[in-house]
Amino acid sequence: MSVDAGLPHRPGAPGRLDTRPSGRVSSCPPPRDAETLGGHTARQLLRLCETAGLSGPDSASYARTLLTALGPVGERPLDLPSPDDSFLSDDHTPVEFSLALTPGAAPTLRVVLEPGCGAPDLARNGHTGLEAVRAMGRRWGFDTGRLDQLEDLFFPSDPQGPFALWCALEMVPGGIPRVKVYLNPAASGQERSAATVRKALRRLGHRRAFAALPEGDRHLFFALDLGEWDEPRVKVYLAHHDMSAAEAARLSRVDGGPGPAEIASFFRTMAGHDADGTEPREGRDPRLDLRPVQSCHAFTETAAERPSGFTLYIPVRDYARHDGEALDRALAVLGRYGIDPAPLLSSLSAVTPRRLRDGVGLVAYVGLAHQVGRPTRVTTYISSEAYAVRPPAVGAAPSRRRPTAG
Ligand code: TRP
């Protein structure tokens, strides 16, 4: 069966998608300028869908959804530079994949994308994004009312900050994704971002949520689940600069879930801090000082005093020399939770043929996620690298930098 989703066929392309057993591989690949951003990322998505066990028709439908959501930048030749400086990924590809992994269950494949990428300014980027999400709502019959209610807060006429709107799709069987929208709390200015988050939470009825958040250095994202979710969430993401494992262990405000020791151990493994076996002592814990750790706090019940979900994200790419190292750490964590590593391994090769040690950033983040009443999940964020591969770091692992004082 061929899952070509109507994409132009590229004989001989690495990991080509024509799975018909013709046995013929062209020795003369077409010129690279035949490839487009949309074609490249949609092929990555098709291969990922296949490894995630989605059917051919579902995979094809998700690839088309990606192309529709990307709009005109999808048709841009891949040889041209990225359409803009999208904050979504390090090489500015407006697409990032992720896998949510739990013990004994099929992985969930997701994709985050920026529908407004390539717009002439952030205001138009945001409006393109809003329109794309509303079009999905019309197509799949979900209500965007909760997003519409927040329009003035997140889409001012002269928006600030690193992005306007991202949209994530969880590619569940059936071809209709679960949709999430990410908004920028700094849209009306960085100094207003806490107030923006507080107002947005209140408007959605979560009157006690803001007070339940831990301290952070910056509000990074405000996210909404839209469509067919069992329990749609509102999520607030915080950045934490120079954080240590012991500090990260105290960020969760959820009842139950991974305790402080478990969170600290996840942090140390992903940061590479337990590689030398030394017991960290309070105050001597190394800090992640290159790119901030992030925490996410999810709210479901409006009356609840506490969040129902907590996730800690470690930007492993900034603290590992190469992706082989990043993957080893992720595998150690998966092993601890009894999670089958095969889907992660096959997903990495679905996205790129390169050797893991030849670059860093394919594995962008690894998260440890807990939602009340559900098993702990490990989420792994996989870069498209459509435009660039970051070269591996030379010398000592960035994770081995010691704190300067105390
Ligand atoms: N590229 C941004 C960053 O690295 C945003 C981002 C993309 C992100 N994927 C993510 C943040 C996953 C947290 C988790 O921060």
Side-chain angles (χ1 to χ4, degrees), residues 169-223:
L169 309 170
E170 287 210 5
M171 292 173 271
V172 291
I176 300 179
R178 288 197 285 248
V179 178
K180 306 183 260 191
V181 179
Y182 294 81
L183 306 172
N184 171 23
S188 301
Q190 186 62 56
E191 71 291 349
R192 306 252 286 270
S193 55
T196 300
V197 166
R198 182 161 31 79
K199 278 190 211 160
L201 286 167
R202 286 185 151 255
R203 234 183 248 182
L204 298 175
H206 293 276
R207 310 188 68 80
R208 306 159 88 171
F210 190 80
L213 294 171
E215 257 181 55
D217 292 308
R218 237 156 18 104
H219 294 84
L220 280 181
F221 307 107
F222 187 91

Side-chain angles (χ1 to χ4, degrees), residues 87-90 96 166 221 291 294 313 317 365 381:
F87 170 57
L88 210 158
S89 63
D90 292 357
E96 183 185 71
W166 294 341
F221 307 107
R291 188 189 298 267
Q294 293 188 27
Y313 299 93
R317 66 195 184 281
Y365 278 91
Y381 292 78

Side-chain angles (χ1 to χ4, degrees), residues 8-31:
H9 177 50
R10 295 184 69 218
R16 75 211 136 84
L17 290 154
D18 188 341
T19 51
R20 282 170 293 199
S22 74
R24 268 188 299 124
V25 174
S26 165
S27 56
C28 176

Side-chain angles (χ1 to χ4, degrees), residues 121-189:
D121 56 52
L122 206 52
R124 276 174 279 186
N125 180 317
H127 285 111
T128 305
L130 272 178
E131 261 327 297
V133 173
R134 287 176 180 145
M136 289 179 193
R138 288 190 294 273
R139 171 155 180 225
W140 294 308
F142 66 77
D143 180 31
T144 57
R146 293 194 316 148
L147 174 61
D148 302 338
Q149 262 179 286
L150 306 177
E151 191 169 338
D152 62 312
L153 294 177
F154 293 99
F155 301 90
S157 54
D158 182 21
Q160 313 293 304
F163 80 108
L165 181 148
W166 294 341
C167 147
L169 309 170
E170 287 210 5
M171 292 173 271
V172 291
I176 300 179
R178 288 197 285 248
V179 178
K180 306 183 260 191
V181 179
Y182 294 81
L183 306 172
N184 171 23
S188 301

